[in-house]
Amino acid sequence: MEFEMHVLSGVPDLRHPVFTVLIVILLACFASSSLDDAASARQISRQVGTYSDRVDSSERLGANGSSGYILTARSSNRGLYITMVIRGSVAAKLGLEPGDVLLQLNNKVVSSATEADRILAAAPSGQLHSVFVKQASGALNCYNQTISYTNDSPSESSSTGATTIRRDVTLERIQTSVPIQTLESYLCEIVNSDRAANGVGRVSLSSGLSSVARAHAEDMIKRGFFAHVNPSGMDPRARAAAAGYNVDVAENIATKNGPMSPQQKVAGCEATMMAEPKDDPHNHRGNILNPKFVCVGIGCAYGPGGAVYFAQEFSATPVP
């Protein structure tokens, strides 16, 4: 999944060498099926970090996170630093919480949210094995956790010569029959639900700004870009002015693909935005919860493979 916000400061991509999970950390873990058992954890000295501020969503895991790592006295290990867990998800059943680092699923390194989706798509129904760490004061608690797992939409593999091509069979069943305006209204209700949960008043859905947002979503697909400034050099305010709305706007844009409904895609993007730091008024979350905004334009469009693109145009000036 990709997403952007208006007024986005650049964050350097802090690259680290690819580390493999060493046997030393696995030896430090106790086999366990319950996080409530104190004997299931062992403390090890620690340092936890992430490679960048980018947060992605794993739909199959049911969690958001960043590519991260842990450093111990004797090893370095890649993992998925968890920032948000959906109730009832695979991640929740494993006992993962924000701040945890997921290292392995079925003996495979989980280096990103995308990798978690790939592993879970290929995993057979049955037992799902995991290795993860939870942060404690001055140490990490390391767990081996096994749960029952049902793969309702497994991936298929086909081989041609030495090349293996993977495809997710559910991608062929992606429905794009949800009317665009229905999807836009649904996303507006999610926005207002997030605002209400944070003590902020509702925004009205602006038909005019929705046309601006929809045109931008369609343009990103048509001209193959993903940015606030289009190839013609027009930023959100310029695009709104060209449509006859001379108002300041704050824009969020997002896109998501995968084996899920259009509603799940836009809801997943919104959840990822809301998981951003609370103290930054200029990030996606800050735009969504800004109490000065009174209306929003929401525009959605379907891209190749069932991908959903959308733009949100927030304004402090009422626009019909």
Side-chain angles (χ1 to χ4, degrees), residues 2-5 212-232 234 236 239 251-256 273 299-304 307-313:
E2 297 180 78
F3 53 91
E4 281 197 13
M5 62 181 173
V212 174
R214 194 179 307 119
H216 188 57
E218 293 172 349
D219 190 31
M220 287 191 291
I221 296 169
K222 182 179 179 180
R223 293 202 273 181
F225 71 98
F226 184 76
H228 296 291
V229 179
N230 65 24
S232 301
M234 300 176 70
R239 287 186 272 107
E251 179 177 82
N252 290 341
I253 59 175
T255 179
K256 193 171 186 63
M273 293 176 178
C300 299
Y302 290 119
V308 172
Y309 286 68
F310 73 73
Q312 298 170 330
E313 313 290 348

Side-chain angles (χ1 to χ4, degrees), residues 82-97:
I82 303 298
T83 59
M84 188 274 286
V85 174
I86 297 174
R87 182 180 301 177
S89 65
V90 171
K93 293 175 182 177
L94 287 171
L96 291 172
E97 299 174 311

